[in-house]
Amino acid sequence: MQNFRRWLDRENCYVFTINGFPYGKFHGTRVKEHVYTPDWTTTERVAYTNLLFNLLAEIVPFGIEGSVSTVPGSFKEFITSGEQVQAMRDNVWRCVEHIARVSERCGKKLHLGLEPEPLCFLETSAETATFFEELRDEHPGDSRLREHLGVNYDTCHLPWNLKSRRMCCADSPSTTFA
């Protein structure tokens, strides 16, 4: 890692974000819905994402906010019970706690970005807002949610939903996500 850090410095480059979506083999194989595994119902997703934050904390420069984007909970068809939804919220919260500890230790602002996508558990603005509201209800007044969890809004997904940005936002509650 130190060699990479030195290379970044020498080349006047920096890393501020990591795509935490892919896990394991991603390119050159059929991925389809398997790109979402392991999902946020599993401890494997928590461990993987926590590792990414540990690495990011070492290389993101001071004064630059660092982020990791991640799967939108799960592929929608994989979720068949309320227990799975609760497991997703619990595991995202565990990751938020880890990010807060890492941020405190390294003195850098870091956050996780859930990335809503077509056919996923967090697909629409309303579904995403509901997920955040449920997390806020479970952890009332805890500023770590606002500081370390957000939404990675990928505008490339809008054509898949056949919605304009205005339509996407119109179906969400008037509250903020984090």
Side-chain angles (χ1 to χ4, degrees):
M1 185 59 77
Q2 288 305 318
N3 287 339
F4 182 53
R5 178 75 227 155
R6 282 192 290 276
W7 180 88
L8 289 169
D9 291 342
R10 186 175 60 248
E11 298 298 322
N12 197 28
C13 297
Y14 64 92
V15 173
F16 65 92
T17 191
I18 295 176
N19 181 356
F21 234 98
Y23 181 99
K25 289 185 178 182
F26 183 69
H27 294 287
T29 63
R30 179 189 179 278
V31 289
K32 303 261 184 207
E33 67 276 3
H34 298 291
V35 72
Y36 305 105
T37 60
D39 64 17
W40 280 99
T41 65
T42 68
T43 57
E44 290 86 2
R45 178 56 68 175
V46 178
Y48 172 66
T49 306
N50 287 352
L51 173 63
L52 295 178
F53 274 103
N54 294 345
L55 295 171
L56 184 62
E58 290 185 38
I59 58 175
V60 70
F62 285 99
I64 302 291
E65 189 167 338
S67 67
V68 173
S69 62
T70 190
V71 299
S74 183
F75 189 67
K76 196 170 276 187
E77 290 181 9
F78 294 166
I79 303 304
T80 59
S81 73
E83 289 81 15
Q84 289 174 296
V85 175
Q86 185 63 55
M88 280 190 284
R89 286 196 310 270
D90 292 345
N91 286 331
V92 166
W93 176 249
R94 284 183 191 100
C95 189
V96 166
E97 290 177 314
H98 178 79
I99 299 165
R101 287 189 300 272
V102 171
S103 291
E104 180 69 26
R105 184 184 74 237
C106 73
K108 300 171 184 176
K109 185 163 170 89
L110 305 171
H111 70 271
L112 178 66
L114 296 170
E115 186 175 327
E117 279 205 1
L119 305 177
C120 290
F121 181 75
L122 300 179
E123 180 175 10
T124 68
S125 299
E127 289 167 340
T128 305
T130 297
F131 187 80
F132 275 79
E133 288 169 2
E134 290 168 348
L135 276 169
R136 279 196 303 267
D137 289 346
E138 292 171 359
H139 307 280
D142 198 318
S143 64
R144 293 177 293 182
L145 281 173
R146 183 172 295 282
E147 293 169 15
H148 302 292
L149 183 64
V151 175
N152 181 17
Y153 185 67
D154 188 336
T155 57
C156 293
H157 297 149
L158 289 177
W160 281 100
N161 286 332
L162 301 175
K163 288 184 174 185
S164 69
R165 183 176 60 85
R166 173 180 245 165
M167 289 171 63
C168 277
C169 296
D171 66 358
S172 73
S174 59
T175 59
T176 58
F177 286 132

